[in-house]
Amino acid sequence: MKQIKHLFLCFLLATQSILSAQEVTIEAPSARGFSGVQTINGEIVFTTWFGEKTETKGMANFVLKLYDKELNEIKTTEVEVSKFSEMASSSFTGKYFLFIFVDALKKTRTMVTLDAKGDIIQKKTEEDVRRALLTAENFPIIHVLNEEEFILLRPMKEKKFGFDIERLDKDLNSKWTKSHIPEDGVWKVQDSKVKNNKLYLLREQNPNRSSDNYVFSVQCYDVESGEQTYSTDLENAGDGGAPAFIRVNSKDQIATGGMYFKGSKYDDKNSDGLFFCLIAPDGNITKITKKSWDSLKDQISGEFSSALLGGKTKMMVEDVIQKLDGSYMVISEQFKKANNANMTGSGAAAMLGGG
């Protein structure tokens, strides 16, 4: 209980410009799954945690506590879930919450929607879910489509690993569900964005879960119908880009970047350089630029440049930034082995393309 109170007070001190100088103590019998404190447009403050077991055998309460911006309590809502549930995903449209819980022991996945007053709208539990789909790496992704609807991405396994895309409303009614399961190999969603009634995915395809061969592609879907409008592979002259994210600009162009590997074969120790790719709204590649580590030595100065002198390296690309002049900059972090075999890092920014 002391930990919960401490976290709440720290939050208030950090947000004095948003909230009035108020203090509140949260009385909770359990701190399991405590989410911290979050705000919604500076108007609603909420926190969640898992409470103690209920009178129903094998069940426990998930607690949602809502406050207004003056920290007056709106409502405390308890949702009964299985005892060993954990929060997998959550989202808020501005009017409605969607919470998704998983219980690997009971092999269940539960979805609950509530309104901004804390009243439960709908609750559904999916039984006999494969345990492999209830791990943290396979938790669902929720996107807000509008005030009353969500786009849900769920890893799925039939004969092969793939994913489902589903459009859900506040009552958990499905407008459509599209399954994307490969005949061969494994498909994984690495990043996703919803913008202008379109869903954009960064998908990784592998021959199997242990293979080093890969193909990354950017895909676009119409959220009205769920149909795919394009799929663009991030390859150039046989070399494969291996990004972790996509960005969507105001013109519906997709920008992405990261390491690339010759022959589209992932190497856990070394990469061959950085790449940048810009994709037009019709799915055609407008620009793709590759920079080998040798060419980047002249572009990057200081400590990072000296770290590149040994040859190939590994990078974690954090972001792509579009500058006012229309050019793009890839922000990345380098990892290398020090003498004690531990990993050390340093930062870099490389100019890899125009508008």
Side-chain angles (χ1 to χ4, degrees):
M1 188 185 305
K2 291 182 179 178
Q3 182 186 20
I4 295 178
K5 180 179 178 181
H6 174 69
L7 287 171
F8 202 95
L9 294 179
C10 286
F11 171 82
L12 294 179
L13 292 173
T15 56
Q16 289 181 14
S17 61
I18 299 175
L19 301 175
S20 302
Q22 303 289 334
E23 177 180 328
V24 64
T25 300
I26 301 175
E27 299 290 343
S30 170
R32 185 173 78 86
F34 180 64
S35 66
V37 183
Q38 303 175 58
T39 62
I40 303 167
N41 299 325
E43 295 295 323
I44 296 176
V45 180
F46 74 95
T47 186
T48 62
W49 68 87
F50 289 93
E52 295 184 342
K53 62 182 180 181
T54 67
E55 294 180 357
T56 307
K57 184 178 180 180
M59 304 297 281
N61 276 328
F62 169 76
V63 182
L64 169 68
K65 189 176 282 286
L66 294 168
Y67 298 86
D68 64 20
K69 63 182 179 180
E70 303 299 330
L71 296 187
N72 300 307
E73 183 173 342
I74 298 173
K75 189 171 184 177
T76 296
T77 299
E78 295 180 345
V79 181
E80 191 174 64
V81 294
S82 57
K83 182 178 179 180
F84 297 104
S85 291
E86 59 179 315
M87 174 106 61
S89 305
S90 63
S91 191
F92 183 68
T93 67
K95 285 189 175 181
Y96 299 98
F97 291 93
L98 170 59
F99 294 103
I100 301 179
F101 308 96
V102 298
D103 186 332
L105 187 64
K106 295 190 70 172
K107 298 169 60 177
T108 60
R109 185 161 49 200
T110 300
M111 296 191 294
V112 181
T113 52
L114 304 93
D115 62 22
K117 296 179 181 179
D119 295 326
I120 297 173
I121 304 298
Q122 188 59 268
K123 176 184 175 184
K124 289 184 178 180
T125 298
E126 184 181 359
E127 305 283 350
D128 199 26
V129 180
R130 293 175 183 265
R131 284 197 174 95
L133 300 176
L134 301 177
T135 60
E137 66 176 2
N138 289 321
F139 284 172
I141 299 168
I142 307 171
H143 289 286
V144 171
L145 182 58
N146 52 53
E147 287 187 336
E148 296 194 354
E149 292 183 294
F150 307 87
I151 296 291
L152 186 63
L153 301 174
R154 282 192 308 268
M156 296 297 291
K157 185 180 188 302
E158 294 178 3
K159 291 183 179 180
K160 299 293 182 178
F161 275 94
F163 56 90
D164 279 356
I165 308 173
E166 186 174 15
R167 181 172 173 175
L168 285 171
D169 65 17
K170 63 180 178 60
D171 298 305
L172 298 181
N173 297 316
S174 178
K175 184 169 184 178
W176 50 256
T177 301
K178 302 292 183 179
S179 293
H180 300 272
I181 309 293
E183 293 184 4
D184 295 300
V186 177
W187 290 351
K188 295 185 291 185
V189 176
Q190 295 288 4
D191 194 19
S192 55
K193 298 287 185 291
V194 171
K195 190 168 184 178
N196 296 333
N197 287 319
K198 295 182 179 66
L199 169 67
Y200 299 96
L201 299 183
L202 174 63
R203 191 193 73 183
E204 180 183 3
Q205 178 179 350
N206 301 86
N208 56 66
R209 294 177 70 84
S210 60
S211 174
D212 293 330
N213 296 306
Y214 69 90
V215 175
F216 279 85
S217 59
V218 173
Q219 302 180 333
C220 178
Y221 298 84
D222 176 17
V223 299
E224 184 60 35
S225 64
E227 298 298 326
Q228 184 181 101
T229 57
Y230 70 73
S231 179
T232 303
D233 291 345
L234 300 175
E235 292 184 312
N236 177 259
D239 299 333
F245 62 88
I246 52 176
R247 298 289 182 264
V248 187
N249 68 13
S250 59
K251 299 178 181 179
D252 286 341
Q253 296 172 312
I254 304 297
T256 189
M259 298 181 292
Y260 76 86
F261 297 86
K262 290 183 178 179
S264 297
K265 188 174 180 64
Y266 183 82
D267 185 331
D268 193 47
K269 296 180 180 179
N270 298 311
S271 61
D272 293 287
L274 291 177
F275 89 100
F276 167 80
C277 185
L278 189 65
I279 299 174
D282 61 2
N284 290 315
I285 293 178
T286 302
K287 180 182 292 290
I288 188 164
T289 304
K290 294 185 297 184
K291 294 284 187 179
S292 68
W293 296 123
D294 286 339
S295 66
L296 283 170
K297 290 175 186 176
D298 297 330
Q299 196 172 339
I300 303 171
S301 60
E303 180 183 354
F304 185 80
S305 178
S306 64
L308 292 176
L309 294 178
K312 297 180 181 180
T313 187
K314 287 297 291 296
M315 303 287 293
M316 179 180 292
V317 176
E318 305 287 352
D319 207 347
V320 170
I321 297 174
Q322 185 173 19
K323 301 174 68 177
L324 292 177
D325 62 4
S327 63
Y328 289 83
M329 181 174 290
V330 174
I331 308 299
S332 58
E333 184 176 3
Q334 177 210 15
F335 291 89
K336 63 175 182 175
K337 284 188 176 181
N339 293 334
N340 61 1
N342 291 327
M343 300 300 287
T344 61
S346 57
M351 191 71 66
L352 289 179

